[in-house]
Amino acid sequence: MSTQADDIDIGEEYKEKYGFSDDIKYLHTTKPGINEGVVREISKIKNEPEWMLNFRLKGLKHFQERPMPKWGANLGQIDFDNITYYMSPSEKSETSWEDVPEGIRKTFDRLGIPEAEKKFLGGVGAQYESEVVYHSLRKDLEEKGVIFLGMDQALKEHPDIVKKWFAKIIPINDNKFSALNTAAWSGGSFIYIPPGVKVDVPLQSYFRINAKNVGQFERTLIIADKGSSVHYVEGCTAPIYSTDSLHSAVVELIAMEDATIRYTTIQNWSNNVYNLVTKRGFAYKNATISWIDGNLGSKLTMKYPGVYLMEEGAKGEVLSVAFAGKGQHQDAGAKMVHMAPNTTSIITSKSVSKDGGRTTYRGLLEVDKGCHGIKSNVVCDALILDETSATDTFPYMNVNEQDVSIGHEASVNKVSDDQLFYLMSRGIEQSEAMAMIVRGFMEPFIKALPMEYAIELNRLIELNMEGSVG
Amino acid sequence: MSKLEIKDLHVNVEEKEVLKGVNLTIEQGKIHALMGPNGSGKSTLSFAVMGHPKYEITKGEIIFDGKNVLDLAPEERARLGLFLSFQYPSEISGVSLSNFLRTALNSVKYTKEKRIPVMEFRKLLMEKMDLLKIDKSFASRYLNEGFSGGEKKRSEILQMAILEPKIAILDETDSGLDVDALKIVSNAVNTLAGPEMGILIITHYQRILHHVKPDVVHIMYDGRIVKTSGPELAMKIEDEGYDFIYKELEKEV
């Protein structure tokens, strides 16, 4: 089929908008590779309490002993010795953009963060390589007792609450990469919402990798106390390099009785980043945790946000969208563990693969014995745009109770010549027709986002679709 | 005056010759009916004119306003003023009819730099929906998803009304077209036809011609137009079926 679509190289487009890099002088840079010396050095730079150093060392030990997971995507090419595990660009986290070093400030300007902050955010964190360089919270939220800090700062200012919950949701030995994060963690967000406080505007963090062969290991902990609610959003980008970087975060959520946490990710790493992230939340009585997880970038993503439904009436939701283009593998999904009766979970996964990209849905639904009255529904739809692309579905179920209501639907759709011809016969160019079909497919996900992010995501889809057909 | 001229058109579908030299001219402002038994190549002709990639033109020309359109992509043909109302339009999930119509209208009649203002489009859409007696809620439904046969026809006709093509081909070949859908199509043709639009109704069934009065009737048989005449031809087929045509053809052989 002939087409008028401009032959835009996606790499070029990404490069201009997000893929640029800065020439920054770093205050601290550890030698490439990870070992006890590096871990002790990171802890020393941060002037941490002894217990945290011990955590790190335990994490390192487990990381070194644990074999590489073989059950999923191909991780064999990660060169752990060639990665720099800690790089800090500035002395401390600032509360005014004016005080952020100019080069870095310009980057975040270019990414539109300060502008978004003014328009519709309640608080913002900005992390550059290993450290949070900027943090702010709207005054009225601060007055209500909301805490929104970089994780390192929280460890200094609120050590008791950090110590109480740190690695409680995701234990050190949960998996190889959560162990690595525990050893090398730096940055990330700490959020505490006091009882009954409803934060009606999103709090956002933006994660930026700038240097080559760098590892980013942020650690985020969100605690929503009884009857409170919060919506946290994270975005991420990096320059394009020919060698690989590693992003391996750990995110732990605690939703107390009647609390609601919504955690939205728009992941747009460049195509040389391994994105291996562990995300999990505990939802207590009548609490709700929703993960809205959009994966557009990275070379390989392995991420299965989970909700442990700890007490009656708890609700877990994962809405996952993955977009895999040339050279990308998005291995994403969800994990729902029903540990109490009358709990509910919903998993909706939508994936698109094109230009040889690959998407995998991998999900686990677990119901413990005696947990009656469980409701769970899993829907995963995949859309394949061409013959060279692929998708797989691995829905695991481990249900140990009879009195449950579980639904599961999966579909694989291909864009047909007839669909394209139909749209083109109405004057719509092939590339736009394809983008239209993809946007339509993603509609349920986009609808769940606040308007500003819906617009952003639509733009990203457009960017990913450009020059993709011909 | 726009004119669609099809000259000695030969079309292969999956290596098999389906059209074997079609000659047909349609002028703006005229209603043509193309009739013929199942399998005679009527739908193939409509797809070939619009440029479906599965239909391979092996010989002949399709000329629109003096320009050969064979090298043009479907979207370029649409921009010149050609339109095909599909018998089985595709379903596009998550894309509302109104969003789709606006994109289509922008593509056909506007440029990337100059788009139709949203309010102006809404006004136009409401006007056309009133004209065609289509319920307002229709516009927010996803394109053809879960539409009944009649609703699909409405959707196609609404697109035609918005895009205002110079030549529209309505593929209504399916003999299973229900009475409701038939009325929708014929009412719309009567409403939209005029000096600015040429229409080719493709039908197996003569029933539609009770509601629409064509200026010219063509009969297609085995990949060729074998007879062209006035509306009385349709009446004759109504009374006698296609048999008399087969007999005439046998005589020629």
Side-chain angles (χ1 to χ4, degrees):
Chain A
M1 222 180 255
S2 71
T3 168
Q4 286 193 317
D6 298 331
D7 190 24
I8 300 167
D9 179 47
I10 170 72
E12 285 302 310
E13 275 286 294
Y14 185 98
K15 204 172 194 169
E16 190 190 318
K17 291 198 165 87
Y18 317 103
F20 56 90
S21 62
D22 313 320
D23 190 12
I24 296 286
K25 282 206 167 54
Y26 293 95
L27 292 178
H28 301 283
T29 303
T30 54
K31 287 203 182 81
I34 183 123
N35 50 47
E36 192 177 326
V38 167
V39 169
R40 283 184 183 278
E41 190 185 344
I42 294 171
S43 186
K44 197 175 169 208
I45 292 166
K46 291 175 177 294
N47 197 17
E48 279 174 354
E50 187 74 18
W51 68 266
M52 184 55 83
L53 173 64
N54 290 335
F55 253 107
R56 288 185 185 276
L57 294 172
K58 272 187 210 158
L60 178 69
K61 188 161 182 280
H62 189 77
F63 168 72
Q64 286 166 337
E65 287 169 2
R66 184 124 176 193
M68 201 66 128
K70 292 273 193 295
W71 45 265
N74 179 12
L75 298 164
Q77 286 165 19
I78 303 177
D79 185 358
F80 289 103
D81 296 334
N82 195 34
I83 288 167
T84 300
Y85 287 78
Y86 181 80
M87 289 179 96
S88 72
S90 74
E91 201 64 62
K92 61 181 184 20
S93 170
E94 304 293 349
T95 52
S96 157
W97 284 109
E98 292 297 306
D99 299 329
V100 174
E102 196 186 349
I104 297 172
R105 190 181 71 222
K106 275 188 180 155
T107 288
F108 285 109
D109 262 341
R110 201 163 154 185
L111 296 166
I113 310 303
E115 198 190 329
E117 178 182 9
K118 270 181 237 154
K119 275 192 197 153
F120 62 88
L121 296 172
V124 166
Q127 178 159 347
Y128 196 89
E129 318 290 21
S130 302
E131 291 292 352
V132 175
V133 294
Y134 173 82
H135 234 281
S136 78
L137 181 65
R138 227 169 61 183
K139 206 152 179 56
D140 58 313
L141 295 173
E142 206 177 310
E143 280 161 5
K144 283 178 185 160
V146 173
I147 303 169
F148 180 28
L149 293 171
M151 194 67 189
D152 294 274
Q153 204 178 342
L155 178 59
K156 288 195 170 66
E157 293 178 22
H158 306 278
D160 295 346
I161 190 162
V162 171
K163 193 173 180 181
K164 183 177 173 191
W165 290 107
F166 195 89
K168 292 295 190 301
I169 313 299
I170 300 170
I172 296 172
N173 61 1
D174 188 79
N175 65 75
K176 189 172 175 78
F177 289 92
S178 68
L180 176 63
N181 174 284
T182 307
W185 80 268
S186 183
S189 297
F190 173 84
I191 295 174
Y192 172 77
I193 315 292
V197 173
K198 313 262 184 205
V199 181
D200 54 358
V201 282
L203 306 179
Q204 182 178 317
S205 281
Y206 198 92
F207 296 91
R208 176 78 181 166
I209 291 177
N210 178 60
K212 267 186 203 179
N213 304 325
V214 69
Q216 193 175 60
F217 305 96
E218 88 268 11
R219 183 101 194 180
T220 288
L221 176 60
I222 301 178
I223 301 156
D225 215 323
K226 285 183 181 176
S228 70
S229 72
V230 65
H231 184 186
Y232 177 78
V233 185
E234 62 176 2
C236 32
T237 58
I240 301 157
Y241 295 118
S242 54
T243 53
D244 298 329
S245 290
L246 173 62
H247 172 255
S248 194
V250 166
V251 175
E252 298 174 287
L253 310 182
I254 298 110
M256 311 274 202
E257 190 174 336
D258 292 322
T260 298
I261 301 177
R262 167 168 282 215
Y263 192 110
T264 298
T265 303
I266 296 183
Q267 180 269 108
N268 193 25
W269 293 118
S270 54
N271 291 358
N272 56 309
V273 176
Y274 280 93
N275 184 45
L276 310 167
V277 171
T278 312
K279 289 181 163 167
R280 193 172 302 156
F282 282 4
Y284 291 93
K285 196 176 175 191
N286 296 325
T288 300
I289 291 181
S290 311
W291 298 98
I292 314 291
D293 198 37
N295 292 298
L296 292 114
S298 82
K299 176 180 187 170
L300 167 69
T301 286
M302 288 177 81
K303 183 172 24 153
Y304 322 98
V307 183
Y308 283 49
L309 302 141
M310 310 290 287
E311 292 178 354
E312 277 205 58
K315 193 178 168 194
E317 187 180 6
V318 173
L319 183 50
S320 169
V321 156
F323 200 113
K326 191 179 172 189
Q328 286 183 291
H329 184 182
Q330 306 283 9
D331 195 322
K335 190 173 175 180
M336 292 291 180
V337 181
H338 292 264
M339 301 171 77
N342 300 314
T343 47
T344 310
S345 65
I346 300 169
I347 299 172
T348 310
S349 161
K350 296 240 161 202
S351 75
V352 177
S353 49
K354 68 171 187 82
D355 299 337
R358 182 170 165 204
T359 59
T360 301
Y361 168 77
R362 200 181 293 277
L364 172 68
L365 173 66
E366 198 173 303
V367 178
D368 289 359
K369 198 160 175 54
C371 295
H372 56 84
I374 301 297
K375 284 189 199 133
S376 178
N377 197 37
V378 180
V379 179
C380 33
D381 299 325
L383 182 67
I384 301 177
L385 299 192
D386 51 51
E387 295 299 321
T388 61
S389 305
T391 188
D392 320 282
T393 305
F394 301 106
Y396 302 101
M397 287 202 192
N398 181 13
V399 178
N400 301 298
E401 173 60 45
Q402 296 290 315
D403 173 27
V404 293
S405 157
I406 293 172
H408 183 265
E409 287 170 50
S411 74
V412 176
N413 309 281
K414 284 187 175 163
V415 174
S416 70
D417 283 351
D418 285 336
Q419 279 178 316
L420 282 177
F421 175 67
Y422 181 60
L423 296 178
M424 290 165 74
S425 79
R426 300 301 184 247
I428 299 166
E429 279 173 22
Q430 190 175 0
S431 57
E432 169 60 19
M434 199 67 114
M436 196 174 220
I437 292 168
V438 170
R439 273 199 306 269
F441 179 77
M442 298 273 198
E443 174 71 7
F445 179 82
I446 292 168
K447 264 202 299 208
L449 297 175
M451 195 184 65
E452 290 81 2
Y453 297 102
I455 292 168
E456 170 73 5
L457 191 75
N458 265 327
R459 223 168 47 82
L460 290 176
I461 291 171
E462 214 99 312
L463 191 68
N464 277 280
M465 289 304 298
E466 271 171 1
S468 69
V469 284
Chain B
M1 179 70 72
S2 282
K3 206 197 306 182
L4 177 69
E5 297 166 274
I6 299 163
K7 292 181 181 171
D8 192 28
L9 191 70
H10 291 249
V11 174
N12 281 6
V13 182
E14 285 161 358
E15 313 274 303
K16 187 173 172 277
E17 186 166 61
V18 178
L19 297 189
K20 302 169 179 173
V22 172
N23 290 289
L24 179 65
T25 299
I26 299 156
E27 287 170 346
Q28 221 176 355
K30 290 278 196 305
I31 299 177
H32 292 240
L34 178 64
M35 304 176 72
N38 281 333
S40 56
K42 303 184 300 293
S43 285
T44 299
L45 178 66
S46 68
F47 282 121
V49 169
M50 212 61 220
H52 195 298
K54 269 188 203 153
Y55 296 77
E56 188 201 348
I57 316 284
T58 53
K59 198 181 165 197
E61 289 176 312
I62 300 174
I63 295 167
F64 185 54
D65 285 348
K67 191 176 176 181
N68 192 344
V69 301
L70 285 182
D71 290 336
L72 300 182
E75 69 269 25
E76 294 169 303
R77 300 183 196 200
R79 285 174 205 158
L80 290 178
L82 284 173
F83 181 89
L84 171 62
S85 167
F86 287 63
Q87 186 169 203
Y88 300 110
S90 296
E91 298 185 4
I92 313 288
S93 184
V95 177
S96 72
L97 183 60
S98 107
N99 186 356
F100 164 68
L101 280 168
R102 187 151 60 92
T103 309
L105 181 63
N106 273 320
S107 306
V108 168
K109 293 202 167 170
Y110 292 79
T111 61
K112 283 208 164 74
E113 293 71 38
K114 193 184 178 296
R115 301 269 176 206
I116 184 168
V118 175
M119 291 316 291
E120 199 177 306
F121 171 75
R122 294 226 54 97
K123 200 170 148 253
L124 175 74
L125 181 60
M126 291 304 142
E127 267 173 35
K128 298 295 184 188
M129 289 175 89
D130 277 348
L131 181 72
L132 298 167
K133 300 188 176 62
I134 294 172
D135 190 77
K136 301 269 186 288
S137 65
F138 199 58
S140 54
R141 291 180 60 185
Y142 292 154
L143 185 55
N144 298 322
E145 194 179 51
F147 281 20
S148 68
E151 286 170 333
K152 282 184 179 164
K153 286 291 150 220
R154 279 196 186 88
S155 158
E156 293 295 289
I157 292 301
L158 180 61
Q159 293 172 39
M160 177 168 142
I162 296 272
L163 298 177
E164 297 177 320
K166 292 172 183 158
I167 302 286
I169 301 170
L170 282 67
D171 189 359
E172 308 300 337
T173 324
D174 193 349
S175 47
L177 198 65
D178 63 28
V179 179
D180 182 36
L182 195 75
K183 277 189 189 151
I184 294 163
V185 173
S186 32
N187 287 343
V189 168
N190 291 327
T191 310
L192 300 173
E196 301 300 316
M197 202 183 287
I199 295 175
L200 175 67
I201 304 171
I202 299 179
T203 178
H204 165 78
Y205 246 17
Q206 45 281 28
R207 268 197 315 181
I208 195 169
L209 304 174
H210 287 276
H211 306 280
V212 174
K213 203 172 150 40
D215 300 296
V216 190
V217 176
H218 311 272
I219 308 295
M220 188 173 234
Y221 180 74
D222 192 25
R224 290 183 194 90
I225 305 274
V226 293
K227 202 168 177 61
T228 294
S229 184
E232 68 284 354
L233 183 58
M235 291 305 160
K236 195 169 157 118
I237 291 167
E238 164 101 55
D239 295 339
E240 302 176 21
Y242 289 104
D243 281 357
F244 76 96
I245 298 192
Y246 302 156
K247 278 176 194 149
E248 280 178 26
L249 287 170
E250 276 165 22
K251 263 185 234 162
E252 281 172 27
V253 173

